[in-house]
Every structure is written in C-alpha cells, then in structure tokens.
Amino acid sequence: MTVLDGLWRRPPRVPARMPEGAAVLEARGVSVSLGGTPVLREVDLTVRAGEVLAVVGPNGAGKSTLLGVLAGDHAPEQGSVTVDGEPMYSWSATEMALRRGVLLQRVDVSFPFTVTQIVRMGRAPWAGTPAEDWDDEVIAGALAETDVEAFADRVYTSLSGGERARAALARVLAQEPAALLLDEPTASLDIGHQERILGLARQRAARGDAVLVVLHDLGLAAAYADAVAVLSAGRVVAAGPPVEVLTAERLSEVYQYPIEVLRHPRTGAVLVVPRRGGSGTANLPGPGPTGTTVASIT
C-alpha cells in the first residue's frame, strides 16, 4: 500500500486547538517560478495561531502565489511547507480542509446554488465527525457574521460582486479551519463591510485561529494586523509588527512612489497615505496606542 493509499483510507485526523503563537502554517526557503519567471524567491513565513498576518506589496510581488503555496495549490520548486509541524503532503485532502480554509479573489459557480447551499459546502470536511451535529448553527452564524442573511435564499450568481465576496467568505468561515487564508477579502466591498470583514478576521484570531490576509490597503493592514510581511519582487523584505515594518522609507522604496506614514492626531494610530503635494516625507513619531481603528487614504 502506498502512502497516498494510507491517507485516503484512514479516518481524518481532526486538528487540536493550537496554543497562541504556535506555527500553524510555515514556509521555509520557498521558491516558485511560473512560465519560467521567478515569482517567489527563498521565502520564509510563519502563520501563527491567535494572530492576523497581513501580506502586502505591489502588483506582481507574489502575494497570491505565496497564499497558493501555503494553501497547497502550488508546489514549491524549492523549500518546504509544514502544516501543524508536519509536511503538507502528509495530510489527506480532508485533513487539509480541516486545517486551512481559502478565500480566493474570485469564486466562480456554474450551477444555480443558493447562498445557503454555498455556505453549507464549507461544512463538508466535518461530515462523519461529532461537529457535524452543529452544521445548521455554524451556517447560521456565518451568514450573520458576513451580513448575507437577507439574501441567503437567492441564487449566488444573481448577487453583486460585493455580495458574492461576502457569501464566499461565509463559506470559509463555516468551514471552521484552524487557519484562514484570505486573498483580497475587502477588494469589492464598501468601507463599512471592509471594516466588518477585517473585524471578523480579528475575532477569529482572538479565539485562536491563524489568519493570513493579502491586502493592498496599507491602512487596513496597519489597523488590523498583528504582523505585516512586505513582499517585493518575490522576496519578503520585512516582517514584524506594523509600526516597525510600515515605514515611509521602506514603503516608498517598495512601491516606487512617495508614501507618508503618520500618526492620527487624536488616537496615535498609524496612517499610511500617498504623498500629495508639499515637501518631504513625514517622520514617524514615537509609539502610540494600539488596537485602534485606522482610516486610510489610498
């Protein structure tokens, strides 16, 4: 019997709750090329339980490819990815679905499923486990969290782009994985739903989940992430707390555009804005309060 046969035949191993700060997903020395072009170059990254990690960087930096590698959708040419401390290939497909849920930038559906049916698909990995008894409760909670209850019975393909994005996120939340991998979850949302969705990411981290979110909005990354990784040309050029990583000098160099990093005059929260007129890039004052909501101009 092959290793693959064993993965398919054994009952799925349900993940245990990881202690805060433990590595749930980890990439070490990961390199990937697409069409002969290097996209990721020796990337090291750790997604930890109880934390929101924001991955930022300009277009073409490799953010979505990195998310795909951590999700198991792209095999690295070099390096390794571990899940719960074990090689990714040692887990069956169901076991991986219990450990990581993925929200892609675009979710296409070919059949006329309702929103509730789409969200219910997220519960498939839990079939045959005691958690299956909670399916209806979990689905109802995911619909409420993402503010899609009002159109739960509508056909998914009839929804607007923002409504589809929230319904797709509800499916991932209903999956209840140990790690959430979210690729641009706020891209098609209005400002209120952007704040709500990233607030949900924070709530999931607070209960012990690991959350990786790819963002273009640097202000949202500063406001909601515990840690930020900046990608540039396929490399992680900086990783750590937002106040240390999101500096005017670094961001201006990475984005090849003058960027200012300021402090909110009342709360002290970090603000990241493009420079529009005036002279000189503002210096970053000393640390201010954390955990505050940040408004950004992008």
Side-chain angles (χ1 to χ4, degrees), residues 76-144:
E77 296 167 3
Q78 296 180 5
S80 62
V81 178
T82 57
V83 180
D84 284 0
E86 297 186 27
M88 181 174 286
Y89 62 78
S90 69
W91 303 102
S92 69
T94 298
E95 289 169 337
M96 280 296 295
L98 293 172
R99 284 163 176 80
R100 61 93 181 96
V102 184
L103 178 67
L104 300 176
Q105 291 185 34
R106 178 173 174 176
V107 179
D108 293 320
V109 175
S110 301
F111 298 97
F113 294 114
T114 66
V115 170
T116 298
Q117 289 172 325
I118 292 289
V119 177
R120 187 171 293 277
M121 292 176 188
R123 298 300 297 166
W126 296 99
T129 74
E132 186 177 20
D133 296 339
W134 311 328
D135 281 1
D136 290 342
E137 179 181 347
V138 172
I139 290 165
L143 292 169

